[in-house]
């Protein structure tokens, strides 16, 4: 398989891994509050949990990764690993693109936990990219849950699927509520690519 393959750009947190579920459990401990007191439906930044008066999101994130192995212990989102295996077997190149290195001084920890988690759940990938500008690495179709990432990718002309959660309900589709939806949307794009008709939201036909 080479760069002429169909490439699926996959975000991890909130798409493949249950980031918000894991963070909710860690935040309950960090805040010394009952788990049920923390809302499941949150916005980007987790302000609903009242973390700002305790140092804010960056401080909670640092604790979660360095002291509670966040990227190693979070559970996969239902059907994500199995669906990625199916897509990989069909010849789709999985390119993991994540912005997990946005905080300084513990990059090695974040990278190590990420690789171990992917291997532990047998999640196939050909490329693993840690970067903010996801459009810079290239993919035929992206899937992401972050509102800012989705908007930026679409502004760049990238065909992007929104993976639904409470942080992104305001975004227009195409949208996947489950990994069965992801599989269907990706295979539709893959079939278009194979026939040379894959378009990027009204742009000219995507080169094969």
């Amino acid at each position: 398989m080479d760069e002429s393959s169909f490439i699926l750009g996959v975000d991890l947190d909130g798409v493949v891994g249950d980031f918000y579920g894991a963070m909710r459990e860690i935040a309950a401990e960090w805040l010394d509050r009952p788990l049920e007191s923390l809302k499941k439906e949150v916005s980007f930044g987790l302000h609903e949990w009242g973390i700002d008066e305790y140092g804010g999101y960056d401080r909670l994130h640092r604790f979660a990764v360095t002291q509670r192995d966040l990227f190693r212990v979070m559970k996969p989102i239902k059907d994500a690993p199995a669906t990625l295996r199916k897509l990989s077997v069909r010849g789709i190149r999985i390119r993991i693109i994540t912005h997990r290195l946005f905080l300084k001084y513990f990059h090695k920890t974040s990278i190590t936990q990420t690789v171990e988690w992917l291997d532990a759940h047998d999640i196939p990938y050909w490329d693993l990219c840690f970067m903010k500008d996801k459009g810079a690495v290239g993919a035929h179709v992206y899937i992401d849950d972050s509102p800012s990432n989705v908007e930026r990718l679409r502004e760049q002309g990238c065909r992007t699927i929104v993976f639904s959660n409470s942080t992104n309900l305001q975004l227009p589709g195409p949208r996947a509520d489950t990994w069965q939806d992801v599989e269907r949307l990706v295979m539709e794009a893959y079939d278009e690519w194979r026939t040379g008709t894959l378009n990027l939201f009204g742009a000219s036909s995507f080169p094969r």
Side-chain angles (χ1 to χ4, degrees):
M1 184 178 291
D2 58 26
E3 285 296 320
S4 65
S5 302
F6 181 90
I7 300 170
L8 173 62
V10 182
D11 178 42
L12 285 180
D13 297 327
V15 176
V16 181
D18 184 11
F19 177 80
Y20 292 105
M23 283 292 280
R24 182 168 173 262
E25 294 183 3
I26 294 170
E29 175 194 358
W30 191 67
L31 296 167
D32 195 19
R33 290 171 53 187
L35 179 64
E36 58 271 16
S37 72
L38 303 184
K39 294 175 59 176
K40 291 183 179 181
E41 303 300 310
V42 294
S43 59
F44 202 74
L46 310 179
H47 303 292
E48 293 82 1
W49 295 346
I51 63 175
D52 294 340
E53 61 181 307
Y54 295 87
Y57 178 81
D58 287 1
R59 189 164 183 177
L60 170 60
H61 182 93
R62 187 182 302 275
F63 172 80
V65 176
T66 64
Q67 304 304 312
R68 294 297 178 267
D69 293 341
L70 170 67
F71 296 143
R72 183 182 288 115
V73 302
M74 76 168 64
K75 298 176 182 178
I77 287 178
K78 186 178 185 302
D79 298 322
T83 302
L84 286 169
R85 288 180 214 123
K86 288 170 65 178
L87 294 174
S88 181
V89 167
R90 292 171 181 168
I92 292 173
R93 181 175 182 135
I94 309 299
R95 177 166 288 167
I96 304 292
I97 314 171
T98 179
H99 187 35
R100 284 183 168 180
L101 306 186
F102 72 96
L103 292 180
K104 298 178 181 178
Y105 309 126
F106 56 99
H107 288 180
K108 180 179 178 180
T109 300
S110 297
I111 292 170
T112 300
Q113 290 183 19
T114 298
V115 172
E116 290 179 351
W117 186 85
L118 289 167
D119 290 349
H121 294 286
D122 193 25
I123 294 172
Y125 62 96
W126 283 82
D127 314 286
L128 178 55
C129 308
F130 293 87
M131 59 193 306
K132 180 178 181 179
D133 184 4
K134 300 188 175 188
V137 297
H140 293 89
V141 175
Y142 294 81
I143 179 163
D144 209 302
D145 73 310
S146 162
S148 60
N149 287 343
V150 171
E151 289 169 352
R152 189 179 303 114
L153 285 165
R154 289 178 173 176
E155 286 170 0
Q156 296 172 355
C158 301
R159 183 161 173 166
T160 307
I161 302 165
V162 183
F163 194 81
S164 297
N165 59 42
S166 61
T167 71
N168 59 41
L169 298 180
Q170 79 280 12
L171 295 176
R175 174 178 292 278
D177 296 327
T178 67
W179 268 87
Q180 282 78 20
D181 293 337
V182 175
E183 181 180 8
R184 174 179 54 80
L185 290 167
V186 170
M187 289 309 300
E188 286 175 1
Y190 179 57
D191 289 341
E192 291 175 29
W193 172 78
R194 292 178 62 192
T195 59
T197 60
L198 179 63
N199 291 316
L200 299 179
F201 294 114
S204 59
S205 183
F206 198 92
R208 184 168 177 175

